[in-house]
Amino acid sequence: MTKPASPATPEEHKISNFLRQIIEADLDKGTYASRRWAGSPGDAAHHAKGQPDPAKIRTRFPPEPNGYLHVGHAKSICINFGLARDYGGVCHLRFDDTNPEKEDTEYVNAIIDAVKWLGFSWSQPGNDKAYQASDYFDFMYRAAEHLIEAGHAYVDEQTPEEMRNNRGDFGKPGVNSPFRTRTPADNLARFRNMRDGKLDDGAAVLRAKIDMASPNINMRDPAIYRIRRATHHHTGDTWCIYPMYTFAHPIEDALEQITHSICTLEFEDQRPFYDWLMDRLCEGGLLGAPAPKQYEFARLNLTYVVTSKRKLAQLVTEGKVSGWDDPRMPTIAGLRRRGYTPESLRLFADRIGVTKSDSWIEYSTLEGCLREDLELKAHRAMAVLDPLKLVLTNWDEAFGAGHLEPCTLPALPHSPEGQPEPAARQFTIGKEVWIERDDFAEHPPKGYKRLSPPSNQADGSVTPGSIVRLKAGYIVQCTGCLKDSNGVVTEVHATVFTDTKSGTAGADSIKAKGAITWVGVADGVRAQVRLYDRLFTEGQPDAGGRDFLKAINPDSLKIQEAWVEPSLKLAKPDDKFQFERLGYFVADRIDHQATQLVFNRSVSLKDNWSK
Ligand code: ATP
Ligand code: MG
């Protein structure tokens, strides 16, 4: 596996947050200095045989491979991999596949792609592997038997309804199960019956024996193993019992010698059980102390999108989008196809920071990060998305029939320091050029600085046609237009001032009202342009459990046949451009070809979303 380039930038190191403070304090105190690492995950005995852990800290990113990662996961990835990078640690990629689900290597591969594309690596000397939680089923089973033998767990055969009723609620303590006082030997035999398939699905569960009166409902004897006859994508039919997430997750962390287990705030109430379980397994000698600790941060809520794999899956399966990588999707794959860069997403994660209180981030913050990154990098180009033909009626007379005058513009207004200037763009101007339809107005509003024809005033005077520069070309004066039988303008006419070519001595001899972008009819290239808008019409489409599908924006995609300047013939999939005056665009990574150019609008030039 090749190691992606380190994404470290000086800014990313600077901003402190509560997680950094915790880690720095642990490093100061040497909380984890005594840990050993045997080169692979394992129990206390396994790691005892290893070396002192060369990783100062270990974090992990533990997605469930049941969908594509979204922008919320990007935040988590940047936090976990970023902390490991900054503090001499390692971040593990772990597939949390303890739920027996259908094999989906598509999701596994998409997750690997997304993490690498963001610029992070989990590889360590002698180990390039991503971990998978299902590899730990044997240990989890052993841990469960240990808890039973130590009197910390029992098999409960109440019906699910009885269990629910006896759990109590916020103001009411729970009621002990009648099966709670069985002996360890009895429980062990029954748990083995569960394992051996002698009980039906749902007939019994294994519960931790803690405190049915705890004010924290998660400590009221939580279920830790259930019976479920399902074929697991890695372990097949080996097991008909599966560990519950709350039991499995701390164990996964401990076997991997994780030091700081960072998760979202929903898990705050699970922390006491996390610590309880770690204490029981450390005192039993199954795991080596010090155990990992859980820390919670606020999940990312981003306006105008949904960040839940389940809901995103629904958009895909119900055909609301073209797939997980549809450029309107807030998936990492979708953002990438939309033209987002790894740098822009890392900048976003950095900018929103890490806090302990939930809030909503404006979508425009994400867009701002992309603009900021592309402003310095994206080559400029001219394009006309809604073309109207402009005919320079005195061209042949002025320059000779068929004459094409070469024009040039730099690819970047300012090349990044220390980098060679990219080759300038070359194109030509002739008798006919394409302009944007809205760069012509027959009856211009006040202050209009683009093309408008001469007009008769009430007092009998005539206002002359407007004078405008065709960027990098000549100054022209509008003389009129042609219209079809419906009154739709089909062609605009103007005359060219011959001595006013940009960059020549006469360029300023006539004053133009403004400059417009254009593409030559002679050398313009056809391109399909996909204009994306927000996928939902509401800022919080799924707030309060609302049906987010009802808030879908029916106009989130507009496809236009555009003209673009000839330099774009060389565009490769994923290449990013600023179409002058129009926005940032990317050559679509799936559909763009040399013979059929396809550009997605990544983001407009200015923020026209917020307020
Ligand atoms: P989803 O509901 O979308 O499936 P999840 O939390 O169930 O999300 P996991 O695959 O279990 O998804 O998540 C892997 C990691 O990503 C977890 O540590 C989780 O806390 C984190 N994560 C998921 N969603 C967000 C979010 N919106 N903001 C920050 N971190 C997130
Ligand atoms: Mg999940």
Side-chain angles (χ1 to χ4, degrees), residues 137-138 141 195 225 228 230 235-242:
F137 280 157
D138 284 337
Y141 179 81
R195 178 199 59 189
Y225 255 100
R228 175 130 168 67
T235 56
D237 293 320
T238 309
W239 298 94
C240 68
I241 56 171
Y242 289 94

Side-chain angles (χ1 to χ4, degrees), residues 61-64 70 72-73 76 262 264 297 299-300 307-309:
F61 174 66
E64 209 179 322
H70 52 63
H73 295 111
S76 181
I262 298 162
T264 43
F297 70 97
R299 57 177 278 120
L300 169 67
T307 46
S308 146
K309 278 185 252 136

Side-chain angles (χ1 to χ4, degrees), residues 60-77 79-80 94 96 111 245 249 262-267 297-302 306-312 352:
R60 85 287 173 268
F61 174 66
E64 209 179 322
N66 60 349
Y68 280 58
L69 300 181
H70 52 63
V71 62
H73 295 111
K75 173 179 178 178
S76 181
I77 291 168
I79 292 173
N80 281 295
R94 178 203 308 151
D96 203 336
I111 289 170
Y245 178 83
H249 202 85
I262 298 162
C263 61
T264 43
L265 282 173
E266 311 90 90
F267 294 97
F297 70 97
R299 57 177 278 120
L300 169 67
N301 296 309
L302 188 63
V306 293
T307 46
S308 146
K309 278 185 252 136
R310 185 180 58 77
K311 290 174 187 166
L312 294 172
I352 60 178

Side-chain angles (χ1 to χ4, degrees), residues 60-378:
R60 85 287 173 268
F61 174 66
E64 209 179 322
N66 60 349
Y68 280 58
L69 300 181
H70 52 63
V71 62
H73 295 111
K75 173 179 178 178
S76 181
I77 291 168
C78 290
I79 292 173
N80 281 295
F81 282 91
L83 289 171
R85 171 199 66 205
D86 292 349
Y87 292 103
V90 170
C91 180
H92 298 188
L93 175 62
R94 178 203 308 151
F95 293 104
D96 203 336
D97 60 353
T98 51
N99 238 339
E101 279 181 353
K102 247 182 36 209
E103 157 106 336
D104 230 321
T105 40
E106 180 193 351
Y107 297 142
V108 168
N109 291 336
I111 289 170
I112 289 175
D113 270 1
V115 176
K116 282 194 196 167
W117 177 75
L118 276 173
F120 296 106
S121 166
W122 53 90
S123 68
Q124 16 180 337
N127 188 3
D128 280 344
K129 222 170 75 100
Y131 297 123
Q132 57 194 28
S134 55
D135 284 343
Y136 312 144
F137 280 157
D138 284 337
F139 180 88
M140 290 174 189
Y141 179 81
R142 204 177 113 213
E145 286 209 347
H146 169 80
L147 291 181
I148 294 170
E149 284 168 341
H152 295 310
Y154 62 99
V155 172
D156 195 354
E157 285 164 59
Q158 297 182 94
T159 64
E161 205 195 341
E162 286 167 334
M163 253 181 260
R164 218 172 10 255
N165 291 337
N166 288 337
R167 193 177 297 132
D169 56 33
F170 190 63
K172 195 172 98 197
V175 175
N176 283 352
S177 162
F179 305 104
R180 201 173 192 265
T181 51
R182 282 173 172 162
T183 62
D186 191 359
N187 280 314
L188 195 58
R190 285 170 195 275
F191 186 50
R192 289 180 178 172
N193 283 343
M194 283 171 64
R195 178 199 59 189
D196 295 340
K198 296 190 178 142
L199 279 81
D200 288 338
D201 282 17
V205 294
L206 184 69
R207 296 177 75 174
K209 191 171 178 178
I210 310 178
D211 179 6
M212 288 303 290
S214 170
N216 181 341
I217 294 183
N218 296 296
M219 295 297 271
R220 293 183 187 174
D221 293 6
I224 59 179
Y225 255 100
R226 65 195 161 128
I227 308 170
R228 175 130 168 67
R229 284 174 177 76
T231 304
H232 187 281
H233 65 274
H234 281 132
T235 56
D237 293 320
T238 309
W239 298 94
C240 68
I241 56 171
Y242 289 94
M244 305 298 284
Y245 178 83
T246 45
F247 176 74
H249 202 85
I251 292 179
E252 295 159 23
D253 286 344
L255 294 175
E256 293 179 17
Q257 293 283 60
I258 299 303
T259 54
H260 301 82
S261 175
I262 298 162
C263 61
T264 43
L265 282 173
E266 311 90 90
F267 294 97
E268 195 168 8
D269 289 348
Q270 305 279 5
R271 181 164 18 102
F273 178 71
Y274 189 109
D275 292 339
W276 179 92
L277 180 63
M278 291 294 97
D279 287 347
R280 298 294 81 75
L281 298 179
C282 285
E283 74 196 14
L286 276 78
L287 297 176
K293 289 269 182 215
Q294 175 182 304
Y295 303 95
E296 309 87 19
F297 70 97
R299 57 177 278 120
L300 169 67
N301 296 309
L302 188 63
T303 58
Y304 294 104
V305 301
V306 293
T307 46
S308 146
K309 278 185 252 136
R310 185 180 58 77
K311 290 174 187 166
L312 294 172
Q314 219 177 321
L315 292 171
V316 174
T317 52
E318 294 187 18
K320 307 289 183 197
V321 294
S322 66
W324 286 98
D325 67 349
D326 185 299
R328 291 164 293 184
M329 289 282 270
T331 50
I332 296 176
L335 290 165
R336 178 180 185 182
R337 193 168 169 194
R338 179 70 170 266
Y340 276 79
T341 57
E343 292 82 357
S344 65
L345 292 178
R346 295 200 305 262
L347 178 64
F348 175 66
D350 225 32
R351 191 156 287 170
I352 60 178
V354 185
T355 66
K356 278 193 87 76
S357 56
D358 271 316
S359 64
W360 283 80
I361 302 292
E362 290 292 333
Y363 196 82
S364 54
T365 305
L366 176 65
E367 294 192 317
C369 292
L370 180 61
R371 280 191 203 101
E372 214 169 301
D373 186 41
L374 293 183
E375 161 66 19
L376 300 173
K377 292 183 193 165

Side-chain angles (χ1 to χ4, degrees), residues 527-530 568 571 577 579 586-587 592 597-601:
Q528 184 183 97
V529 167
R530 300 172 180 174
L568 290 177
F577 300 93
F579 289 178
V586 63
H592 178 90
L597 312 187
V598 179
F599 295 99
N600 302 327
R601 184 169 64 196

